[in-house]
Amino acid sequence: MNVSNDFLQNISTTACYSFPQDEDLSGAAIGLLRLQDTYRLDTHDLARGIVMGKKISKELSAHDIFEIARLAYNQEDYYHTILWMQESLEKIKIEDPPTVSESDILEYLALSLYKQDNLKRALQVTDRLYQIAPNHPRAKGNIQRWEDQLAAEGVRRSEMRKGIPPLVNTRPVEDPEGFFDITWLKETEHEVIARINNRLDYMTNLDMDTAEALQVANYGIGGHYEPHYDFTQDDEPAFKNGNRIATVLLYISQPELGAATVFTELKLTNWPKKNDALFWYNLLRSGEGDLRTLHAACPVLLGDKWVSNKWIHEKSQEFRRPCGLKPSTYERYVGDLGAPEPRYHWNIRSA
Ligand SMILES: O=C(O)CCC(=O)C(=O)O
Ligand SMILES: [Fe+2]
């Protein structure tokens, strides 16, 4: 009789099965909202499971849409709350029976309009709420509240429901963090890691003994990394082996859409391609951080992105990459030892 209960109990307490939790759901929704902004995706298309003209998932119900909007609301992201609540409102018109009640949508919508400084619209929406749900516990009180606020702003009672200003829905300010999971692979963990490190040494002509362990990072949908330098600046804690002299970024998967690595100063975009590697020096030959290396990872739109970072440090590169005598000294290509520049070399970008 209790076989299924036991089974559920069993798998939910077994560490190797981990079901999505509330925070996974909210993480996914926040990722979705970021994608919407970055790639200017239309709410209506997204709700129908369409991304850039491609049908990628099944249509969302009004309730799904409402839940996304509610997560945005809980993040105090009123901009997206409004977009998604309006979409949910459209959706219930064609659902039979509707998967969410109009009054639930209207209440959130009104509160968000108020937060976005559109009191007249908040009042209009709350009037509608009161009309369809006269016994709603907060409708009447909220109407009073918006009217009082409008009165305090000098709006005459007869004007409160007229000349409703257009919706100026302002976007929230982005949070500075990135969204991805990482782990570190030490050479002692597997001989393949030791082999990779060896090859990176040949490839870059830099000593790997002082480098950090190989980092593996995974970005899910919406996963991204804000613009940053890999080297530390004066106001940040220093690394024990000197600063990060260079970076090797290995692409170990090929996401379907989005996910580019971009160098925002250099205006360079690199699309991840499985088995490719990107190499750059973070420091000038003087040891100063090279400000041209500012870079970011754009959000993954479709597919998933796996990369591996190798951060190579200054210490023990004294003979491999000596300091430059002039601040202007820099390599023209990887492993440049100062000989005349070859005419054709795949490593040199023609000017
Ligand atoms: O994933 C990328 O494209 C860039 C990653 C990166 O810049 C980093 O991990 O420091
Ligand atoms: Fe980086």
Side-chain angles (χ1 to χ4, degrees):
M1 161 70 209
N2 257 338
V3 174
S4 56
N5 270 353
D6 287 352
F7 176 73
L8 286 176
Q9 180 71 29
N10 200 7
I11 52 173
S12 54
T13 52
T14 310
C16 62
Y17 291 105
S18 153
F19 291 105
Q21 307 292 313
D22 280 352
E23 64 187 52
D24 297 308
L25 178 64
S26 59
I30 294 162
L32 179 73
L33 301 179
R34 170 169 304 105
L35 288 171
Q36 179 173 16
D37 287 350
T38 309
Y39 299 108
R40 300 183 212 290
L41 306 176
D42 180 59
T43 313
H44 185 62
D45 280 351
L46 278 176
R48 288 188 302 153
I50 294 171
V51 172
M52 292 183 157
K54 204 165 148 175
K55 178 99 181 156
I56 60 151
S57 75
K58 72 180 187 84
E59 198 153 330
L60 301 181
S61 68
H63 183 260
D64 296 333
I65 299 168
F66 174 77
E67 284 302 322
I68 291 171
R70 226 164 49 87
L71 283 162
Y73 184 87
N74 292 338
Q75 301 284 324
E76 299 177 9
D77 172 355
Y78 306 111
Y79 165 75
H80 286 112
T81 314
I82 293 171
L83 288 181
W84 286 83
M85 284 298 174
Q86 283 175 331
E87 191 58 35
S88 184
L89 213 46
E90 287 302 307
K91 189 79 198 189
I92 52 168
K93 287 189 195 154
I94 50 170
E95 277 182 346
D96 187 20
T99 53
V100 59
S101 76
E102 185 180 347
S103 56
D104 284 348
I105 302 173
L106 293 177
E107 187 177 12
Y108 277 104
L109 186 56
L111 288 169
S112 303
L113 287 165
Y114 158 69
K115 292 282 189 182
Q116 292 280 53
D117 288 328
N118 204 321
L119 270 169
K120 281 188 174 179
R121 266 176 200 271
L123 179 59
Q124 187 186 43
V125 169
T126 314
D127 281 343
R128 164 85 186 151
L129 174 62
Y130 186 58
Q131 185 196 339
I132 63 163
N135 297 323
H136 188 281
R138 287 169 300 276
K140 207 166 174 198
N142 281 346
I143 288 176
Q144 188 69 51
R145 189 170 148 204
W146 313 138
E147 285 178 345
D148 289 350
Q149 290 244 9
L150 283 165
E153 288 179 11
V155 180
R156 272 181 293 146
R157 193 156 287 272
S158 58
E159 296 297 313
M160 286 179 183
R161 287 168 174 83
K162 287 187 198 147
I164 295 178
L167 177 58
V168 183
N169 199 8
T170 48
R171 276 163 212 264
V173 181
E174 270 288 328
D175 54 354
E177 292 294 310
F179 272 87
F180 49 89
D181 290 322
I182 58 156
T183 192
W184 299 89
L185 297 176
K186 292 200 206 74
E187 193 157 308
T188 46
E189 268 162 314
H190 200 280
E191 49 124 357
V192 168
I193 309 303
R195 232 154 55 206
I196 291 172
N197 288 342
N198 245 332
R199 289 175 67 165
L200 292 176
D201 181 326
Y202 290 136
M203 181 181 130
T204 62
N205 188 32
L206 293 170
D207 192 333
M208 295 297 138
D209 289 346
T210 52
E212 289 166 60
L214 199 63
Q215 186 196 68
V216 178
N218 172 239
Y219 303 74
I221 301 280
H224 73 290
Y225 197 164
E226 296 286 319
H228 65 280
Y229 300 112
D230 285 353
F231 59 83
T232 57
Q233 288 176 296
D234 292 345
D235 54 346
E236 295 167 306
F239 292 104
K240 73 175 196 304
N241 286 334
N243 215 338
R244 285 172 170 167
I245 195 169
T247 300
V248 186
L249 179 62
L250 305 160
Y251 295 98
I252 46 187
S253 78
Q254 186 155 339
E256 280 175 64
L257 274 179
T261 307
V262 287
F263 287 78
T264 48
E265 295 295 308
L266 296 171
K267 311 248 179 293
L268 288 176
T269 304
N270 191 59
W271 296 98
K273 192 157 163 263
K274 186 172 169 157
N275 298 333
D276 271 4
L278 201 59
F279 173 87
W280 67 93
Y281 297 107
N282 292 304
L283 306 180
L284 299 167
R285 291 279 291 270
S286 62
E288 294 279 333
D290 189 338
L291 300 175
R292 295 170 304 177
T293 62
L294 190 67
H295 61 284
C298 297
V300 177
L301 187 49
L302 202 57
D304 65 349
K305 179 182 181 186
W306 288 87
V307 293
S308 185
N309 271 299
K310 189 70 175 175
W311 284 301
I312 306 164
H313 286 253
E314 281 178 296
K315 194 174 162 187
S316 83
Q317 317 300 350
E318 293 80 357
F319 298 106
R320 304 257 194 140
R321 192 194 192 222
C323 293
L325 293 177
K326 300 192 297 269
S328 58
T329 306
Y330 63 90
E331 284 87 352
R332 294 158 299 176
Y333 49 93
V334 177
D336 178 11
L337 296 174
E341 186 168 314
R343 259 182 87 82
Y344 302 102
H345 195 291
W346 61 271
N347 240 330
I348 303 174
R349 289 208 315 140
S350 47

